[in-house]
């Protein structure tokens, strides 16, 4: 007459649910992406990312100190230059905005947080692609690798603990690792964007960095239809010496994230990208969903799928809830 098993006994109180929770989120699991812009005197709001701004070097410093104090595990820095050119010369300029931002944060925080840098040319090229263009307009993979090595060395010199090659060029991890080691930068780690998809969810990010992209990146970012391809990319990056690997975006690729976590012998990251942030924010602004619950539920889902590290624009705020 009555159920022989009653799983609801383990859901009766908040204390009971907390006791048996299978997935935990702590501030140390979160990484805050940040934008520092050239030529501005006060923070510039990003309309499609409510609450996120392009920072000046001074406000970048203050926001980074706040994040570190909240216990956030790391910071991922992106630069927004005032000038761009075909080969992205601002990317490896020691006085370029991204390297200036890295130096500012390393001087302020030292080793109290993990300082990460986006090692990609798209923010610095006038055509908006992640690499150098060939004569026919395609992205020249091997010429781009040379630029990535130069960029990586500049970022390491500026103070980055971790470099994040996100351009999805073949051989990018091996090239950067070789360049770093030859320069004596053997302690600088690489977070490989191993499974980065050509997603529709990057739109707000392109506003955030003032992207000049015309066309798309489907010839080098992955097809959303493919799963096995991601596992091959991960295996290649691991073989090339990646210290961590990433799946990007997170929300629509939790199946891929789970498989990557099951096969990887290094920490796995996932990026809750700008479109994910924007969708939750927009629905919450219309009172269609409970914003804070939705944020924590989304982060829990990413952790449950296997991410050791979650990049999220909510990192500082969520860390405050979790402490």
């Amino acid at each position: 007459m009555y159920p022989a098993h009653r799983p609801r006994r383990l859901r009766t109180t908040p204390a009971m649910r907390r006791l048996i929770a299978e997935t935990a989120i702590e501030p140390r699991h979160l990484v805050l992406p940040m934008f520092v812009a050239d030529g501005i005197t006060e923070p510039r709001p990003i309309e499609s990312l409510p609450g996120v701004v392009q920072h000046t070097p001074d406000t970048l410093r203050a926001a980074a100190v706040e994040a570190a104090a909240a216990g956030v595990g790391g910071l991922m820095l992106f630069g927004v230059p005032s000038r761009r050119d075909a080969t992205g010369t601002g990317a490896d300029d020691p006085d370029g905005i991204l390297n200036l931002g890295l130096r500012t944060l390393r001087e302020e925080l030292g080793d109290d947080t993990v300082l990460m840098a986006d090692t990609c040319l798209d923010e610095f090229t006038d055509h908006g692609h992640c690499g150098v263009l060939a004569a026919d307009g395609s992205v020249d993979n091997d010429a781009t690798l040379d630029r990535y090595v130069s960029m990586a060395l500049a970022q390491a010199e500026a103070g980055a603990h971790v470099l994040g090659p996100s351009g999805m060029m073949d051989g990018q991890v091996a090239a950067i690792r070789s360049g770093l080691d030859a320069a004596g930068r053997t302690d600088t780690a690489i977070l490989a964007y191993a499974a980065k998809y050509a997603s529709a969810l990057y739109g707000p990010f392109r506003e955030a960095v003032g992207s000049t992209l015309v066309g798309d990146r489907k010839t080098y970012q992955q097809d959303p239809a493919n799963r096995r391809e991601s596992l091959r990319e991960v295996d290649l990056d691991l073989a090339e010496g990646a210290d961590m690997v990433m799946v990007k975006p997170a929300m629509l690729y939790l199946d891929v994230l789970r498989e990557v976590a099951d096969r990887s012998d290094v920490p796995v990251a996932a990026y809750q990208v700008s479109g994910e942030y924007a969708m939750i924010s927009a629905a919450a602004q219309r009172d269609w969903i409970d914003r804070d619950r939705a944020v924590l539920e989304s982060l829990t889902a990413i952790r449950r799928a296997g991410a050791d590290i979650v990049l999220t624009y909510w990192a500082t705020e969520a860390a405050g809830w979790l402490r």
Side-chain angles (χ1 to χ4, degrees), residues 103-118:
R103 281 199 305 275
T104 297
L105 296 188
R106 188 61 184 268
E107 290 168 1
E108 179 68 35
L109 295 168
D111 295 332
D112 290 343
T113 190
V114 178
L115 183 57
M116 304 179 176
D118 179 53

Side-chain angles (χ1 to χ4, degrees), residues 247-268:
V247 175
K248 180 181 180 182
M251 183 172 68
L252 299 186
Y253 299 89
L254 294 179
D255 58 327
V256 175
L257 175 58
R258 178 71 268 165
E259 292 201 64
V260 170
D262 286 343
R263 76 195 289 125
S264 175
D265 58 359
V266 302
V268 175

Side-chain angles (χ1 to χ4, degrees), residues 10 13-22:
L10 300 183
T13 67
M16 180 70 79
R17 295 190 292 273
R18 185 172 61 249
L19 175 67
I20 67 159
E22 299 173 28

Side-chain angles (χ1 to χ4, degrees), residues 24 46 49 148 323:
I46 300 166
L49 291 173
Y148 283 3
R323 295 187 75 178

Side-chain angles (χ1 to χ4, degrees), residues 235-256:
D235 288 345
L236 288 169
D237 282 352
L238 291 173
E240 291 177 18
D243 300 287
M244 298 175 273
V245 293
M246 184 190 289
V247 175
K248 180 181 180 182
M251 183 172 68
L252 299 186
Y253 299 89
L254 294 179
D255 58 327
V256 175

Side-chain angles (χ1 to χ4, degrees), residues 148-162:
Y148 283 3
V149 172
S150 182
M151 187 178 187
L153 292 173
Q155 292 175 341
E157 179 66 26
H161 297 96
V162 178

